[in-house]
Amino acid sequence: QVQLVESGGGSVQAGGSLRLSCAASGYTHSSYCMAWFRQAPGKEREGVAAIFSDGYKSYTDSAKGRFTISRDNDKNTLYLQMNSLKPEDTSMYYCAARSDGPWCGFAEWGYPYWGQGTQVTVSS
């Protein structure tokens, strides 16, 4: 059974940094496309960053230049390093997984496996 567990969220001031982790189990992590999404209160869930099994990365505009997605296949863990945080980054952050293939994007429907989320709060 696929299981994803996020950690590393918390409260920081604007300009600060956090590193989120997503521990994966129940599947061959190295062969999966992984992604981070976020959802703020009253808003739709949106993509943040994605990484193919071969390490190719993509980011949405909100994350470019400030966030870095990475993975450690030996530890079955996905990471999101977030720097220069802004109050508008305040959201619940979720990791998601799908079997690898030609697509590894930012549509929710493409990911059958989701974690429970970790809250990030950025104060001004």
Side-chain angles (χ1 to χ4, degrees):
Q1 182 176 354
V2 175
Q3 187 172 17
L4 302 173
V5 180
E6 301 95 336
S7 62
S11 297
V12 295
Q13 291 189 328
S17 299
L18 282 173
R19 187 174 84 152
L20 306 183
S21 299
C22 173
S25 61
Y27 66 97
T28 304
H29 179 70
S30 60
S31 64
Y32 271 57
C33 153
M34 304 290 296
W36 287 99
F37 288 76
R38 68 185 184 184
Q39 187 169 23
K43 295 187 177 181
E44 294 186 352
R45 193 174 299 187
E46 62 175 1
V48 176
I51 183 168
F52 279 86
S53 61
D54 64 1
Y56 179 82
K57 305 172 186 179
S58 60
Y59 300 90
T60 56
D61 288 343
S62 62
K64 286 179 183 177
R66 299 187 300 127
F67 295 1
T68 302
I69 189 172
S70 62
R71 65 194 299 163
D72 185 333
N73 291 333
D74 291 337
K75 295 181 178 180
N76 289 346
T77 303
L78 175 74
Y79 302 99
L80 184 68
Q81 177 67 44
M82 304 187 295
N83 299 326
S84 302
L85 283 162
K86 305 174 182 179
E88 51 263 44
D89 295 317
T90 295
S91 287
M92 185 71 80
Y93 283 73
Y94 301 89
C95 68
R98 59 171 280 125
S99 297
D100 207 14
W103 182 87
C104 186
F106 299 116
E108 288 186 68
W109 51 260
Y111 292 87
Y113 308 112
W114 292 82
Q116 294 300 306
T118 185
Q119 177 67 38
V120 172
T121 302
V122 184
S123 59
S124 58

